[in-house]
Amino acid sequence: RSQIPAAASTANLHGERNMRLHATCKMRVRVSSDCPVVAMLRPRSGDAQWMVSERYELHPWVTTTEYVDVFGNLCQRLTVPKGDMRIEVEMIMEAEAAIAVAPDAEAVAVRDLPSDTLKYLLQSRYCPSDKMEDRALQITGDTKSGYAQVEAIRRWIHEHLEYRYGVSDGSTDALDTLADGAGVCRDFSHVAIGLCRACLLYTSPSPRDGLLS
């Protein structure tokens, strides 16, 4: 279970207001034998968010190492011992209070994209964008290519998908969420990414910029 209390606000050097978020997460894992695990317990600091403080407790305590995957996520490797394990995470993050917007931003043509971004146009296990083109066109209609398409997709998700626990699990992809009409944060992200990629918009879950970049 996770909990995010109300945010406090601070000011940066330019007098702009930032949000300071206090988040906690507690989970209990039970395994029948020692189980190697790759976890993602730590958000990254970046341009739009900064880790102020963090605390981690593993009961029982086990050795943990960390690496950065190809998408920039901080990944922790550990072995959960046979039986029960309790994991507790607490952190304070400082983030920009307002989301950056650019209503007049146009889409970058595929031919002009840097080579290392092309993988973010492809379908994936949870974002089968190759099967979402019809829905993407239905949602975006004749809107201008670029930011306007992204905003149309964001607005559609807000208006048509219900935030509800228990609908999805570890195997749920974006098509499942569209069919169910409900899900949680990760499901909304998968839908948004899949629809954007179906519009040939370079889209990735970004630890630096938030949901989409």
Side-chain angles (χ1 to χ4, degrees), residues 58 61-66 76-79:
L58 306 177
W61 185 262
V62 296
T63 300
T64 305
T65 59
E66 188 171 72
Q76 299 79 44
R77 296 185 63 180
L78 64 149
T79 297

Side-chain angles (χ1 to χ4, degrees), residues 78-110:
L78 64 149
T79 297
V80 176
K82 179 180 177 179
D84 289 351
M85 183 178 201
R86 192 170 78 254
I87 301 173
E88 298 182 9
V89 180
E90 181 178 15
M91 66 196 66
I92 295 177
M93 299 291 298
E94 186 163 290
E96 295 176 347
I99 298 175
V101 297
D104 297 326
E106 298 181 359
V108 178
V110 173

Side-chain angles (χ1 to χ4, degrees), residues 132-143 149 195 198-199:
M132 300 174 70
E133 183 176 358
D134 289 344
R135 179 60 68 91
L137 292 175
Q138 176 186 348
I139 291 172
T140 59
D142 58 357
T143 56
Q149 289 177 307
L195 291 171
C199 295

